[in-house]
Amino acid sequence: MSEKPSLDQQISAVASDMLSRRGFLDASERRLMSPKLKDNERQTIELDRMNTLKSQPALEAAVETLRWLKANEEEVRAFVASKRGAA
C-alpha cells in the first residue's frame, strides 16, 4: 500500500506545477514573437496558453487551501475525528 503524500509534499507539488506553468507561459510568449511562426503553430500556442491561464486560479486556490490546512492541521484533525466519532 502506498503512503499518502504529506501536506507539505502536496503544497510543494502544486506550487511546482504552478511554476512550470508560468515557465511554459513565458516560453510560449517568446515563441509567439517569432516571425517564422506558421499560422497553425500560432493558433496551437495561443490555445495552449489560454487553457493554461484558465487553470491558474484553480491551482492558486489549491495552494491556499493546502496552506490553510497545514496551518490549522491540529484543528482539522480534531474536527475530522469528532465527525468520525459521531458517525
Side-chain angles (χ1 to χ4, degrees):
M1 180 180 351
S2 65
E3 190 175 310
K4 291 183 180 180
S6 70
L7 283 174
D8 288 332
Q9 291 169 326
Q10 291 177 39
I11 291 169
S12 178
V14 174
S16 175
D17 189 31
M18 285 176 54
L19 288 174
S20 68
R21 287 168 186 255
R22 285 186 187 138
F24 165 77
L25 290 171
D26 291 343
S28 63
E29 189 69 33
R30 288 190 300 274
R31 284 198 63 215
L32 284 171
M33 292 182 197
S34 172
K36 298 178 182 178
L37 202 60
K38 296 177 184 167
D39 283 340
N40 61 339
E41 291 173 322
R42 184 175 307 281
Q43 290 171 350
T44 301
I45 292 169
E46 288 173 350
L47 182 62
D48 287 346
R49 287 186 77 246
M50 184 176 66
N51 289 333
T52 300
L53 287 170
K54 283 181 183 178
S55 66
Q56 277 303 102
L59 284 174
E60 290 169 8
V63 167
E64 288 305 311
T65 301
L66 290 169
R67 285 184 178 150
W68 183 88
L69 287 170
K70 179 66 178 167
N72 299 289
E73 190 169 1
E74 292 303 316
E75 292 86 357
V76 170
R77 287 186 187 281
F79 175 78
V80 169
S82 73
K83 291 297 180 184
R84 285 186 180 154

